[in-house]
Amino acid sequence: LLFLYNSNTNASGQVDFTSVKRLVPGKYYYKEIEAPAGYIKDTKIHSFTVDNTGNVVYDETNGIITN
Protein backbone atom coordinates (compact mmCIF):
# COMPACT_ATOMS: atom_id res chain seq x y z
CA LEU A 1 0.00 0.00 0.00
CA LEU A 2 1.39 3.39 -0.95
CA PHE A 3 0.00 6.55 0.57
CA LEU A 4 1.10 9.87 -0.89
CA TYR A 5 0.41 13.14 0.89
CA ASN A 6 1.79 16.48 -0.21
CA SER A 7 1.91 19.32 2.29
CA ASN A 8 3.88 22.40 3.26
CA THR A 9 5.41 22.92 6.67
CA ASN A 10 4.22 25.59 9.07
CA ALA A 11 6.44 28.40 10.47
CA SER A 12 7.97 25.89 12.92
CA GLY A 13 8.93 23.47 10.15
CA GLN A 14 6.20 20.94 10.99
CA VAL A 15 3.57 19.17 8.91
CA ASP A 16 0.38 18.39 10.79
CA PHE A 17 -0.32 14.76 9.91
CA THR A 18 -3.10 14.67 12.54
CA SER A 19 -5.30 16.55 10.07
CA VAL A 20 -5.13 13.62 7.64
CA LYS A 21 -8.17 11.73 8.91
CA ARG A 22 -7.86 8.70 6.66
CA LEU A 23 -4.61 7.39 8.15
CA VAL A 24 -5.14 3.97 9.66
CA PRO A 25 -3.00 2.81 12.60
CA GLY A 26 0.52 1.91 11.52
CA LYS A 27 3.95 3.32 10.73
CA TYR A 28 4.39 5.95 8.02
CA TYR A 29 7.45 7.49 6.40
CA TYR A 30 8.00 10.95 4.99
CA LYS A 31 10.77 13.02 3.47
CA GLU A 32 11.41 16.55 2.37
CA ILE A 33 10.94 17.03 -1.36
CA GLU A 34 12.04 20.65 -1.64
CA ALA A 35 13.71 23.02 0.83
CA PRO A 36 12.85 26.72 1.05
CA ALA A 37 15.32 29.20 -0.42
CA GLY A 38 18.36 29.51 1.85
CA TYR A 39 17.87 26.08 3.47
CA ILE A 40 19.52 22.74 2.80
CA LYS A 41 17.21 19.92 1.76
CA ASP A 42 17.01 17.13 4.34
CA THR A 43 17.57 13.86 2.47
CA LYS A 44 16.72 11.57 5.41
CA ILE A 45 13.55 9.51 5.53
CA HIS A 46 11.63 10.18 8.75
CA SER A 47 8.79 8.24 10.32
CA PHE A 48 5.76 8.56 12.52
CA THR A 49 3.28 6.08 13.93
CA VAL A 50 -0.49 6.37 14.20
CA ASP A 51 -1.67 4.41 17.23
CA ASN A 52 -5.02 2.67 17.67
CA THR A 53 -6.60 5.82 19.14
CA GLY A 54 -5.48 8.01 16.21
CA ASN A 55 -2.63 9.74 18.05
CA VAL A 56 0.44 10.56 15.98
CA VAL A 57 3.79 9.69 17.55
CA TYR A 58 6.80 11.08 15.68
CA ASP A 59 10.31 9.66 15.48
CA GLU A 60 13.23 11.27 17.30
CA THR A 61 12.80 14.55 15.37
CA ASN A 62 9.32 15.13 16.82
CA GLY A 63 8.14 15.84 13.29
CA ILE A 64 10.48 18.78 12.73
CA ILE A 65 12.85 18.81 9.77
CA THR A 66 15.80 21.12 10.46
CA ASN A 67 18.46 22.23 7.99
Side-chain angles (χ1 to χ4, degrees):
L1 176 64
L2 177 63
F3 176 78
L4 298 175
Y5 178 73
N6 187 17
S7 182
N8 294 320
T9 57
N10 62 22
S12 298
Q14 294 177 301
V15 173
D16 182 9
F17 291 106
T18 60
S19 64
V20 185
K21 302 297 182 193
R22 60 185 176 260
L23 291 180
V24 297
K27 190 164 190 170
Y28 294 85
Y29 299 91
Y30 63 99
K31 71 178 213 172
E32 186 172 40
I33 303 298
E34 181 180 346
Y39 289 83
I40 299 169
K41 183 176 136 183
D42 182 351
T43 59
K44 296 179 199 166
I45 296 176
H46 301 279
S47 66
F48 65 93
T49 302
V50 177
D51 68 18
N52 289 331
T53 62
N55 291 319
V56 174
V57 180
Y58 292 97
D59 65 4
E60 70 281 350
T61 67
N62 199 30
I64 300 172
I65 296 176
T66 58
N67 273 348

